[in-house]
Amino acid sequence: MSEHDHSGHSHSGSTKLLIVSLVFTSAYAGVEVAGGLWANSLALIADAGHMITDSLSLGIGAFAAWLSQRRASRTHTYGFARAEVIGALVNVLFMLGIVVWIVFAAFERLANPQEVGGTTVMIVAFIGLLVNVAVAWILMRGEKNMNVRAALLHVMGDLAGSVAALLAGLVIYLTGWLPIDPLLSLFISLLIGFASVNVLRDVLRVLMEGTPSHIDIDKLKRAIAEVDGVVEAHHVHVWSLSSSRHALSAQIKLDQIGLWEEVLPKLQELLQRDFGVGHSTLQPETHQEASSYSADAAARY
């Protein structure tokens, strides 16, 4: 049996981007909270809530990115790459909780409209919009792993919230129509909710050891079988260590066992190049060994 391991790409760049974004977001969070309370605007308060959760999520993301850089140990032989996925899970669940709160508060506001300071809302929301655009731009320059995607989801949600708050302030200033404030909050919350569910699905796929979404197992088996000297691959398992690191184990049936030293590097190159699998554990066997294995398995069952 032969094992081939590639270390995952360093997450130091992601850590720096998350920390810079954290500084930007935290600096403005207090200002927007005060503005939301002063103007009595749900859209602005919702946006302020997003800004606070953004700061927390970016902090979690930065810590997870830092932790994922730690080397493997006796107790964590794959290293800490999956810390990135756990950080993304915490952030997504946090975001879904905020969405539920905003939806509940929006329905309360629709039932009992309250006065909103349109001018204050527009000023604060516009500044918040600029801050969120800057933070989103910073994050989009980094590696698109799950941790950064989850943090970016928070920021994009906050950016959308700033746009909603700006529009709500403008409509209230021009027309005095108060329901626009909770209605826009509901609309933006639904968009953020759908995006959160998509990220949550990807996170759960990794945690449940699911096959990476970009890998077709049947296609992978056919590609392996096309390598000279290989008859077929079976007992193939593929899973993710993180959003950017994937692993595979398989039994490889050969024409002749003596071909293994020649076949192995070809398989490793194929898996890395065409399927992004950097860690592979491959067990060679001949026709006779595979037949014996099948007979033993049939006898047991």
Tab-separated table of all heavy atoms in Angstrom, residues 235 289-301:
chain	number	residue	atom	x	y	z
A	235	HIS	N	-13.743	-0.175	-4.302
A	235	HIS	CA	-13.704	0.301	-2.923
A	235	HIS	C	-13.129	1.720	-2.867
A	235	HIS	O	-12.237	2.035	-2.070
A	235	HIS	CB	-12.884	-0.643	-2.030
A	235	HIS	CG	-13.540	-1.961	-1.804
A	235	HIS	ND1	-13.437	-3.012	-2.688
A	235	HIS	CD2	-14.345	-2.394	-0.796
A	235	HIS	CE1	-14.125	-4.048	-2.247
A	235	HIS	NE2	-14.701	-3.697	-1.092
A	289	GLU	N	-5.826	-11.864	-6.526
A	289	GLU	CA	-6.102	-11.333	-5.189
A	289	GLU	C	-7.514	-10.774	-5.116
A	289	GLU	O	-8.220	-10.968	-4.132
A	289	GLU	CB	-5.092	-10.233	-4.854
A	289	GLU	CG	-3.698	-10.756	-4.610
A	289	GLU	CD	-2.711	-9.614	-4.435
A	289	GLU	OE1	-2.881	-8.578	-5.096
A	289	GLU	OE2	-1.760	-9.788	-3.658
A	290	ALA	N	-7.940	-10.075	-6.180
A	290	ALA	CA	-9.292	-9.507	-6.199
A	290	ALA	C	-10.332	-10.615	-6.185
A	290	ALA	O	-11.354	-10.534	-5.492
A	290	ALA	CB	-9.472	-8.639	-7.434
A	291	SER	N	-10.080	-11.705	-6.957
A	291	SER	CA	-11.028	-12.811	-7.002
A	291	SER	C	-11.113	-13.495	-5.644
A	291	SER	O	-12.189	-13.865	-5.171
A	291	SER	CB	-10.597	-13.826	-8.070
A	291	SER	OG	-10.580	-13.235	-9.346
A	292	SER	N	-9.936	-13.671	-4.983
A	292	SER	CA	-9.908	-14.283	-3.662
A	292	SER	C	-10.655	-13.438	-2.654
A	292	SER	O	-11.412	-13.942	-1.815
A	292	SER	CB	-8.453	-14.473	-3.216
A	292	SER	OG	-8.379	-14.958	-1.903
A	293	TYR	N	-10.468	-12.126	-2.759
A	293	TYR	CA	-11.158	-11.198	-1.839
A	293	TYR	C	-12.665	-11.311	-2.007
A	293	TYR	O	-13.430	-11.363	-1.060
A	293	TYR	CB	-10.700	-9.767	-2.098
A	293	TYR	CG	-11.386	-8.741	-1.232
A	293	TYR	CD1	-10.898	-8.431	0.040
A	293	TYR	CD2	-12.562	-8.094	-1.667
A	293	TYR	CE1	-11.540	-7.491	0.834
A	293	TYR	CE2	-13.202	-7.179	-0.867
A	293	TYR	CZ	-12.683	-6.881	0.371
A	293	TYR	OH	-13.325	-5.972	1.169
A	294	SER	N	-13.118	-11.349	-3.268
A	294	SER	CA	-14.550	-11.438	-3.557
A	294	SER	C	-15.124	-12.733	-3.032
A	294	SER	O	-16.229	-12.778	-2.480
A	294	SER	CB	-14.796	-11.323	-5.070
A	294	SER	OG	-14.347	-10.080	-5.554
A	295	ALA	N	-14.365	-13.847	-3.183
A	295	ALA	CA	-14.849	-15.132	-2.694
A	295	ALA	C	-14.954	-15.142	-1.187
A	295	ALA	O	-15.920	-15.652	-0.608
A	295	ALA	CB	-13.895	-16.235	-3.174
A	296	ASP	N	-13.957	-14.560	-0.509
A	296	ASP	CA	-14.002	-14.480	0.950
A	296	ASP	C	-15.179	-13.643	1.423
A	296	ASP	O	-15.856	-13.984	2.403
A	296	ASP	CB	-12.693	-13.870	1.484
A	296	ASP	CG	-11.512	-14.809	1.313
A	296	ASP	OD1	-11.743	-15.999	1.091
A	296	ASP	OD2	-10.366	-14.321	1.382
A	297	ALA	N	-15.421	-12.531	0.738
A	297	ALA	CA	-16.528	-11.660	1.105
A	297	ALA	C	-17.867	-12.391	0.918
A	297	ALA	O	-18.763	-12.289	1.768
A	297	ALA	CB	-16.508	-10.394	0.268
A	298	ALA	N	-17.990	-13.149	-0.193
A	298	ALA	CA	-19.240	-13.881	-0.454
A	298	ALA	C	-19.454	-14.948	0.602
A	298	ALA	O	-20.584	-15.192	1.058
A	298	ALA	CB	-19.171	-14.515	-1.850
A	299	ALA	N	-18.349	-15.601	1.037
A	299	ALA	CA	-18.466	-16.650	2.047
A	299	ALA	C	-18.929	-16.080	3.382
A	299	ALA	O	-19.679	-16.713	4.124
A	299	ALA	CB	-17.118	-17.345	2.203
A	300	ARG	N	-18.450	-14.853	3.696
A	300	ARG	CA	-18.849	-14.226	4.978
A	300	ARG	C	-20.311	-13.842	4.988
A	300	ARG	O	-20.948	-13.820	6.039
A	300	ARG	CB	-17.973	-12.988	5.242
A	300	ARG	CG	-16.551	-13.341	5.654
A	300	ARG	CD	-15.882	-12.135	6.308
A	300	ARG	NE	-15.837	-10.974	5.416
A	300	ARG	CZ	-14.841	-10.748	4.567
A	300	ARG	NH1	-13.828	-11.593	4.477
A	300	ARG	NH2	-14.852	-9.665	3.804
A	301	TYR	N	-20.851	-13.502	3.828
A	301	TYR	CA	-22.235	-13.012	3.796
A	301	TYR	C	-23.166	-14.024	3.150
A	301	TYR	O	-24.308	-13.788	2.982
A	301	TYR	CB	-22.288	-11.682	3.022
A	301	TYR	CG	-21.542	-10.582	3.757
A	301	TYR	CD1	-20.255	-10.246	3.393
A	301	TYR	CD2	-22.121	-9.938	4.847
A	301	TYR	CE1	-19.553	-9.265	4.070
A	301	TYR	CE2	-21.431	-8.966	5.535
A	301	TYR	CZ	-20.163	-8.627	5.141
A	301	TYR	OH	-19.473	-7.644	5.812
